[in-house]
Amino acid sequence: MNLPLYRPEAATATRFLFFTGKGGVGKTSLSCATALRLAESGRQVLLVSTDPASNLDEVLETTLTGTPTPIVGAPGLSALNINPAAAAAAYRERLISPMRGLLPEAALQRMEEQLSGSCTVEMAAFDEFSALLGDPAASAAFDHVVFDTAPTGHTLRLIRLAGAWNQFLDTSTSGTSCLGPLAGLEKQRSLYEATVATLADTSASTLILVSRPQPAALREAERTASELCALGLTNQRLVINGTFATTCPQDATARALEQRGDRALADAASFLRRQPSFRVPLRSINILGLAGLRTLLQETTADDHTPPQALPEPLPGSLERLDSLVDTIAARGHGVVMTMGKGGVGKTTVAAAIAVALARRGHAVLLSTTDPAAHLSETLDGQVDGLTLSRIDPAAETAAYTAEVLTTRGSQLDPAARALLEEDLRSPCTEEIAVFRAFAREIDRATHRFVVLDTAPTGHTLLLLDASEAYHRELERQARGSQPREVLHLLERLRDPSFTRILLVTLPEATPVHEAAALQSDLRRAGIEPFAWVINQSLHHSGTCDPLLQHRERAEHRYIREITDTHATRTAWLPWQAEEPTGPESLARLAAAAIPPPPSPAPHP
C-alpha cells in the first residue's frame, strides 16, 4: 500500500501531540523525532514521557528528571521523564499513609500490592499528564507539548463518570478502583475534567496512533482508534513504523519480510483509509542521539544501501537450542510450561514448538492459549499423537465474572454507581483475575500430563495472589465471593521449579528485552524464578544480503549479550524464519535449530 512519508510540520501541528500504540512499535523514537523536527523549525517544544519502560534518556543521550531539561544541540527542545513507578508509589502512599498505625503491617502490604497494577500506574501517570495539560500555566512557555504514551480509553471513561465517585467511595470495600484510590480522583476532579476536554479539542490536540506493518499491531491500533473516537477524541493520525522494501530481492529473508508487511497493510486497508495514514521506513534499530533522530524521518539513509564493514560478532557460547530446554522439562514427566512476554514476540509459536517436542517424546500434552489471535490449529496444521488443544476465551471468562459481580454487589447500587462499577470491571485488571481462574483450572490438570500455556498471567496477577487472603480481598472488593477450588495452594505449584517452568520470550531488541526483565522482577518478587529466556526471530548470521538487515543483525548483539550476561540463567536462541513455522515438522525443526557459527573472514588474496 503506497502511503506518504510521515512529516511533522509545525504549520499543521496542534499544540498537544500524543503518541500511543502497542509496546515496541516505536512510540519513543517517533515522538522524539517529531519534537526535534518541531524545535528545529523554530518552536519551543517540551517532550514528555510517561512510559514505564521509557528509554527517553538513552534516545536523547541526556539524563532527564521530572522537570524540563534543555537538550544540548537542539535549541528550543526540552524534555522530562515522568517516572510512573515513582508516581504510582507516591499515589499509593497518599492512600495508605493515613492507615499506618491503624492496620497491621501485613494488611498494609496487601493494600500496596493491590494498588501496584498497570491500571494504578497509568492513573498515576494521568495525574502527571493533567498537571501539564489541564493547567494552562504549567506549559505556558512552550509552543508544543509532545507526549510519549497517551492515556487509554479506560482511564478517560472513568474520568467521565465523575458523578458516581461519591457513592462508589461510600460502597467500595477498599476505597479503590482498579485505577487506584478514588479519593485521589475526587480531589483532582476539576483538573482531570479539564484535561479530558483538552484531549477532545481538535484544535488543541492530535492523537498519533503508532503501529507496525504487522497484523497484531494494526489490530491494536484499530481498536484504540475506535475506542478513542467513541470518547470524542477524533483528531487522529496513523503512522506505520518500520515499512520495508528490500534492495536485495534474491534474498529469501528480506523478500519474506517485505511480503509479510505488504500483506498486513493490505489486510488493514479499510482501517488505513479511515484516517490520514503515513509511513516511516524501517531503520537499523538503534536510533540514538540527535543525529539518529534526524535520519528516522528521512526517505532513505546510508544504511539502506551500504553494508556494514565489520563481520558479525560471535554469539555467546551459553546459548542453547530450544530442544535442550525441552529435554530438561521432559525429565519430570508432567507439569506446567508457561510462555510469557510482550505482545508480538512469538509466544504462541514457541509454546507450540515446545508442545510438539514434548508430545514427540511420548508425553501427553495439553496446549492452551488465551490469545484471540493465536490460531493454534493453523500453527500446528496437523495432528500430533498425544497433543490436544484448548483455548481459554478471555471475553467469555470476563463476561461470566462480570455478571457474577453485578448480580451480587451491583444489585445494591443506584444507576450512577453501578455505571462506575461496570467501568471498573472493564479494566485489564478484571480480565486478569477472570482469566487467571481459568488458568487455575488448566494448571490443575498438569498432575498427570504436561500443560503448555501460551500467554500466561502477568507478574502483577501473580503478586496479587501472593497469599490466598490477598486474592480473597480482591474478590471481596468486587464480588464478595469465595475462592474457586483450583486457586487454593496454586501459588505453591507455581513456585515449585520442578512443576512449573516459565519461559520469557523476547526479540533481540530494546523494548521487548527490558519489558521481559521487568516481568522477571515481578515474578521474583512473587517467589517465582523463570526457568529460561527464549530469544526469538534473530537475524544473527542469517546470511542476508540486504544492507539494512545486515545492520540490524549487528545491532542484535548488544541485546543478546544483555540477556545472557545480566538477566538469564539459561537462554535458548531461535532464528528468524523466512516462512512462518507452521505444522509439526516445521515446529520441530525450529526447536532443533542449531546455533550458527560466525562467518569466517574472506582470505586475503
Side-chain angles (χ1 to χ4, degrees), residues 446-494:
T447 53
H448 302 291
R449 72 178 78 189
F450 282 104
V451 175
V452 181
L453 299 173
D454 165 37
T455 314
T458 67
H460 172 63
T461 304
L462 298 172
L463 283 162
L464 190 61
L465 292 160
D466 198 2
S468 59
E469 186 177 357
Y471 183 58
H472 183 69
R473 187 183 187 89
E474 175 68 6
L475 289 176
E476 282 287 314
R477 181 179 74 80
Q478 291 189 336
R480 296 180 181 154
S482 59
Q483 296 183 57
R485 179 190 61 82
E486 296 88 353
V487 176
L488 296 173
H489 310 300
L490 175 60
L491 206 60
E492 296 173 21
R493 285 180 169 174
L494 296 179

Side-chain angles (χ1 to χ4, degrees), residues 8-13 33-45 74-77 143-144 294:
E9 304 301 338
T12 57
T34 297
L36 179 61
R37 178 73 65 88
L38 293 173
E40 290 183 335
S41 71
R43 304 298 181 93
Q44 293 294 314
V45 182
L77 177 61
D143 300 306
H144 299 282
R294 291 185 181 104

Side-chain angles (χ1 to χ4, degrees), residues 51-401:
D51 189 342
S54 173
N55 60 339
L56 201 62
D57 297 55
E58 182 181 22
V59 173
L60 293 174
E61 296 180 331
T62 303
T63 300
L64 302 176
T65 66
T67 57
T69 299
I71 305 302
V72 176
L77 177 61
S78 298
L80 65 87
N81 209 6
I82 295 170
N83 184 332
Y91 197 67
R92 287 192 298 273
E93 185 62 22
R94 289 204 297 270
L95 175 71
I96 294 171
S97 58
M99 306 295 179
R100 299 193 187 281
L102 301 177
L103 293 178
E105 188 60 30
L108 295 174
Q109 290 176 355
R110 287 194 297 272
M111 289 177 68
E112 287 186 5
E113 188 50 57
Q114 199 169 35
L115 295 170
S116 295
S118 57
C119 293
T120 302
V121 172
E122 184 182 337
M123 195 62 236
F126 190 80
D127 211 33
E128 303 287 346
F129 265 120
S130 299
L132 290 167
L133 200 62
D135 180 2
S139 60
F142 299 97
D143 300 306
H144 299 282
V145 183
V146 179
F147 291 91
D148 171 23
T149 305
T152 67
H154 174 57
T155 303
L156 300 176
R157 286 195 306 271
L158 189 128
I159 298 303
R160 289 190 165 184
L161 289 170
W165 290 343
N166 287 334
Q167 186 186 358
F168 195 79
L169 280 167
D170 292 339
T171 58
S172 174
T173 58
S174 68
T176 71
S177 79
C178 72
L179 294 177
L182 285 166
L185 300 181
E186 176 65 28
K187 292 175 182 176
Q188 296 284 86
R189 180 188 296 187
S190 61
L191 183 60
Y192 288 171
E193 289 175 341
T195 300
V196 173
T198 301
L199 280 166
D201 183 350
T202 58
S203 67
S205 300
T206 303
L207 288 158
I208 300 174
L209 305 161
V210 183
S211 184
R212 291 271 185 178
Q214 299 165 352
L218 286 162
R219 283 193 298 269
E220 175 68 13
E222 185 170 14
R223 184 199 64 76
T224 301
S226 177
E227 184 179 42
L228 295 176
C229 273
L231 291 166
L233 281 65
T234 58
N235 190 20
Q236 301 179 7
R237 304 288 184 271
L238 175 65
V239 177
I240 308 298
N241 187 30
T243 59
F244 176 69
T246 182
T247 58
C248 188
Q250 68 270 29
D251 177 16
T253 296
R255 190 172 64 253
L257 181 61
E258 180 180 359
Q259 290 172 348
R260 286 186 195 179
D262 289 346
R263 283 196 300 269
L265 293 177
D267 291 343
S270 62
F271 168 48
L272 270 63
R273 285 193 293 265
R274 290 200 295 270
Q275 63 278 302
S277 299
F278 307 90
R279 63 178 171 84
V280 171
L282 186 68
R283 299 302 183 209
S284 55
I285 283 193
N286 290 322
I287 302 296
L288 300 176
L290 301 181
L293 289 169
R294 291 185 181 104
T295 68
L296 180 61
L297 304 184
Q298 295 176 4
E299 184 67 63
T300 61
T301 70
D303 285 356
D304 297 348
H305 307 286
T306 307
Q309 297 299 311
L311 289 170
E313 297 184 58
L315 289 167
S318 59
L319 293 176
E320 305 178 47
R321 293 177 298 113
L322 186 62
D323 260 352
S324 68
L325 299 184
V326 175
D327 287 339
T328 303
I329 294 168
R332 174 69 184 262
H334 67 93
V336 175
V337 180
M338 293 182 178
T339 56
M340 303 178 76
K342 71 180 295 299
V345 297
K347 296 186 296 293
T348 298
T349 298
V350 172
I354 292 170
V356 167
L358 287 170
R360 288 193 164 186
R361 285 164 171 76
H363 299 286
V365 182
L366 172 67
L367 174 59
S368 182
T369 184
T370 61
D371 187 350
H375 303 293
L376 284 178
S377 58
E378 287 95 339
T379 301
L380 287 171
D381 193 28
Q383 293 188 342
V384 179
D385 290 343
L387 176 59
T388 56
L389 305 180
S390 71
R391 190 173 85 82
I392 297 168
D393 185 341
E397 296 292 341
T398 305
Y401 181 62

